[in-house]
Amino acid sequence: METSSGNSGGGGLRVVVTGATGNVGTSVVRALAREPGVGSVLGLARRLPELDVPGVEWGAVDLSADGDEPRLGRYVADADAVVHLAWRFGPTHDPVTTWRANVLGTLRVAEAVAAAHIPALVCASSVGAYSPGPESGAPVSEAWPTHGWPDAAYSREKAYLERVLDTFERDHPQTRVVRMRPAFLFKEESASEQRRIFAGRFVPGRLFRPDLLPLLPEPSGLRFQVLHTDDAADAYVRAVLRDVRGAFNLAADPVVDGALLGEMFGARPVRVPAGAVRGALATAWHLRLAPASPGLFDLLRHIPVMSTDRARDELDWSPTASSVEALEAFLRGVRAGAGDDTAPLAGRRVA
């Protein structure tokens, strides 16, 4: 088996993590490596990283590529649990590429897990899988419909994978399936990647300074949840170790809105029509000046607020960082050009 840099321990669970070099993956492999009940961790990614995490081995596999299935099968053959995190957010102008990576890639992981009779599959879903929330704005439980927002490829793919997991659970009851539905995940080390994904690689990090924003445009109805990535990783580890099944919402308090963002930036929120914001974003996206599609903006406006009671009760989980602290970590990272020693997270300062 081709692996690179790391040491596997003796005894304990053997856990394989796909998408191990991304925002969530780097936090999950580190958290698993610190866990006494885990004996070894194998992180899988398209490209082997320079990242050295004691107790973690690395393997290269492309889940979107036809012909890599045998390699994937060998990697997961003797695992006690597979944590599936691999995901591509872009290119947003090429939904076929993201479909191959995200949907077909997940199908390949599910087939490999089934063939090897792996006891547990912990899969990354998202708040983006949910249908629009209730008009009252009340928090929703994991029972809320997961039909997504049809105009956003990210949401369509997450919702489709919920159906894939429904079928997998029905056909393979011997495998314990857990679906994590986190809010937007931020940490300092992922800031450069997320700036490139949502704002573009040429947007200067210095623009994210509070003193440059006396007024903060606030699209009407803006309201969403945030979580520090390390707190999400803690929930993933608990799901690996505990005999739980089903979906878990993950988010931190408080809910983020225009007023809270205004306080963070020391700026006065100014209400702007959502249609105007969407129109400007659509123009920039069609001109390929912005990587985030207008469908993602629509998704942001319609996602529900989630209740995290089940995660708190059954995983004994609670976030250690508030949503404000998670956003502050992200902003520090953007301004510093922070990153990690992996291809997705590599820092790149745009002064």
Side-chain angles (χ1 to χ4, degrees):
M1 181 179 297
E2 92 184 42
T3 57
S4 171
S5 73
N7 302 296
S8 58
L13 299 177
R14 181 173 184 272
V15 184
V16 176
V17 181
T18 71
T21 58
N23 175 20
V24 184
T26 49
S27 288
V28 167
V29 296
R30 286 183 169 111
L32 285 167
R34 293 191 298 265
E35 174 53 50
V38 174
S40 68
V41 181
L42 174 61
L44 302 181
R46 286 188 297 140
R47 293 158 289 185
L48 292 175
E50 298 295 327
L51 191 66
D52 184 12
V53 181
V56 177
E57 295 181 330
W58 301 100
V61 65
D62 187 348
L63 298 180
S64 67
D66 295 332
D68 247 9
E69 292 91 346
R71 187 199 305 265
L72 174 63
R74 292 193 295 271
Y75 281 140
V76 306
D78 57 349
D80 296 295
V82 171
V83 180
H84 177 48
L85 306 172
W87 193 268
R88 289 191 65 167
F89 286 90
T92 56
H93 286 275
D94 185 6
V96 173
T97 294
T98 59
W99 182 268
R100 289 179 60 84
N102 301 334
V103 175
L104 300 187
T106 299
L107 288 169
R108 290 184 173 111
V109 170
E111 290 166 359
V113 166
H117 304 288
I118 307 300
L121 171 62
V122 181
C123 192
S125 185
S126 168
V127 62
Y130 280 121
S131 301
E135 292 185 6
S136 66
V140 305
S141 75
E142 290 81 359
W144 193 255
T146 52
H147 302 309
W149 182 256
D151 288 340
Y154 171 83
S155 185
R156 290 196 306 270
E157 291 164 3
K158 287 293 187 183
Y160 186 89
L161 293 181
E162 290 280 347
R163 309 290 78 75
V164 169
L165 294 175
D166 289 342
T167 303
F168 184 90
E169 284 182 316
R170 182 199 65 197
D171 294 344
H172 305 282
Q174 74 279 6
T175 297
R176 182 172 62 84
V177 178
V178 181
R179 318 170 192 211
M180 292 301 194
R181 296 177 186 155
F184 296 101
L185 298 175
F186 296 106
K187 64 180 180 183
E188 188 167 345
E189 297 85 350
S190 68
S192 291
E193 178 199 33
Q194 290 172 316
R195 175 180 57 77
R196 292 191 293 266
I197 288 173
F198 297 110
R201 63 177 65 249
F202 300 114
V203 174
R206 66 173 181 265
L207 292 182
F208 290 81
R209 287 168 38 195
D211 56 311
L212 295 180
L213 290 172
L215 301 176
L216 184 68
E218 178 192 357
S220 56
L222 182 70
R223 191 166 179 254
F224 60 95
Q225 289 169 293
V226 165
L227 180 66
H228 196 288
T229 308
D230 289 347
D231 283 326
D234 176 52
Y236 274 96
V237 173
R238 291 169 187 263
V240 167
L241 298 176
R242 298 189 177 212
D243 187 18
V244 295
R245 294 172 179 256
F248 291 92
N249 294 337
L250 305 174
D253 293 326
V255 174
V256 177
D257 58 14
L260 189 149
L261 291 174
E263 291 177 9
M264 286 186 61
F265 282 94
R268 181 167 64 87
V270 177
R271 285 289 181 95
V272 295
V277 175
R278 190 190 191 284
L281 179 58
T283 299
W285 182 73
H286 284 296
L287 293 174
R288 299 181 183 265
L289 300 176
S293 71
L296 284 174
F297 175 72
D298 295 336
L299 172 64
L300 178 63
R301 293 184 56 239
H302 289 92
I303 54 174
V305 171
M306 300 181 295
S307 165
T308 59
D309 289 347
R310 185 173 188 235
R312 295 171 187 269
D313 293 343
E314 297 189 28
L315 295 178
D316 194 25
W317 171 87
S318 60
T320 60
S322 69
S323 59
V324 173
E325 290 168 326
L327 285 171
E328 288 175 340
F330 165 72
L331 292 173
R332 283 196 306 273
V334 168
R335 291 191 289 266
D340 216 333
D341 289 330
T342 72
L345 301 186
R348 184 177 301 169
R349 186 180 182 91
V350 181

